[in-house]
Amino acid sequence: MERSADGTAAGRGRAIRVLLVDDHQVVRRGLRTFLEIQDDIEVVGEASDGAEGVARAGELHPDVVLMDIKMPGMDGIEALRKLREQASPARVLIVTSFTEQRTVVPALRAGAFGYVYKDIDPEALAGAIRSVHAGHVLLQPEVAGALLAQDDSGTGQGRGTSLTEREREVLGLIADGRSNREIARALTLSEKTVKTHVSNILMKLDLSDRTQAALWAVRHGAAD
């Protein structure tokens, strides 16, 4: 791939910086081989377990982390929690062979932006990385089904009754992956007003970030 003097893909903006975290070297090699031929994606490093992944993320400042779940020592879910504690700006895309609900839901609650399987088509994986980098929450159909099937005893839905009609509109657009600027444009509001609505939504739903808000919207039918 031809690059400019600052290391970005020639003729494009800055490449998406990706960190690979998986305990299988063969998997990391395969991912790297494919991703390195993408004009807008740059693999900046690898790690073989969660602890190393957290450390490497702090050193390399990736935009997106491809994270396995089952790894020796610190697993992917604990690594997600550590990245969140450290306020890492990296967006984590889980890439795993595990489909059980008991692994899906904790990963999403820990802050993952997406969850895909290792048998995903390579081109689809590149698209998933771009989507997560753009701020979208990405779930394969089976994963979304597992999330929707989780029994929450109705408590989450009950919190949603406190949202105003405008807040519900904003929440739906958050679930659609829209930025505050895009939401402001769509609803003819100022960005400051949108930020206030987002803060109110998070407070009323007892959530900590936009990713959780988007997932809440999917689970409780507030997304289109």
Side-chain angles (χ1 to χ4, degrees):
M1 173 171 51
E2 194 176 328
R3 293 188 175 278
S4 60
D6 65 357
T8 60
R12 294 175 177 263
R14 186 174 73 84
I16 302 170
R17 295 167 57 82
V18 173
L19 173 66
L20 308 177
V21 184
D22 195 294
D23 60 320
H24 292 99
Q25 185 178 9
V26 172
V27 172
R28 298 198 309 271
R29 184 181 299 137
L31 290 171
R32 178 183 280 274
T33 298
F34 169 71
L35 294 176
E36 284 184 338
I37 67 173
Q38 304 299 311
D39 289 341
D40 58 341
I41 296 174
E42 176 185 9
V43 178
V44 296
E46 301 179 16
S48 59
D49 59 42
E52 185 183 5
V54 172
R56 296 287 279 166
E59 297 166 2
L60 299 171
H61 308 292
D63 300 308
V64 175
V65 178
L66 299 190
M67 181 86 73
D68 191 13
I69 287 185
K70 297 295 184 181
M71 294 181 287
M74 183 186 294
D75 66 14
I77 293 174
E78 183 60 27
L80 270 161
R81 295 188 182 115
K82 292 291 184 183
L83 289 172
R84 190 166 181 173
E85 288 172 7
Q86 296 175 10
S88 170
R91 290 168 175 163
V92 177
L93 175 62
I94 295 293
V95 183
T96 184
S97 56
F98 288 87
T99 61
E100 297 97 332
Q101 182 178 328
R102 62 186 175 84
T103 61
V104 173
V105 176
L108 295 173
R109 284 183 169 173
F113 263 70
Y115 194 115
V116 297
Y117 302 136
K118 286 183 178 178
D119 62 356
I120 186 174
D121 178 84
E123 291 294 341
L125 176 61
I129 291 170
R130 296 181 186 109
S131 181
V132 166
H133 179 250
H136 297 272
V137 176
L138 184 75
L139 302 177
Q140 289 189 327
E142 306 94 310
V143 175
L147 191 66
L148 289 167
Q150 186 192 35
D151 180 13
D152 212 16
S153 301
T155 55
Q157 184 65 52
R159 291 199 302 268
T161 61
S162 65
L163 297 179
T164 66
E165 186 61 32
R166 179 62 86 186
E167 287 165 354
R168 285 185 167 278
E169 289 180 309
V170 171
L171 179 59
L173 292 171
I174 290 174
D176 195 38
R178 306 286 189 92
S179 67
N180 284 352
R181 178 173 296 180
E182 291 170 330
I183 294 172
R185 189 179 300 123
L187 300 180
T188 319
L189 300 171
S190 69
E191 283 190 61
K192 183 176 180 180
T193 298
V194 171
K195 287 181 181 178
T196 299
H197 285 314
V198 172
S199 295
N200 288 340
I201 289 167
L202 296 179
M203 178 185 67
K204 289 180 178 181
L205 298 181
D206 192 24
L207 304 173
S208 59
D209 57 42
R210 296 169 71 95
T211 304
Q212 289 190 352
L215 293 171
W216 188 97
V218 171
R219 288 189 60 201
H220 297 289
D224 292 332

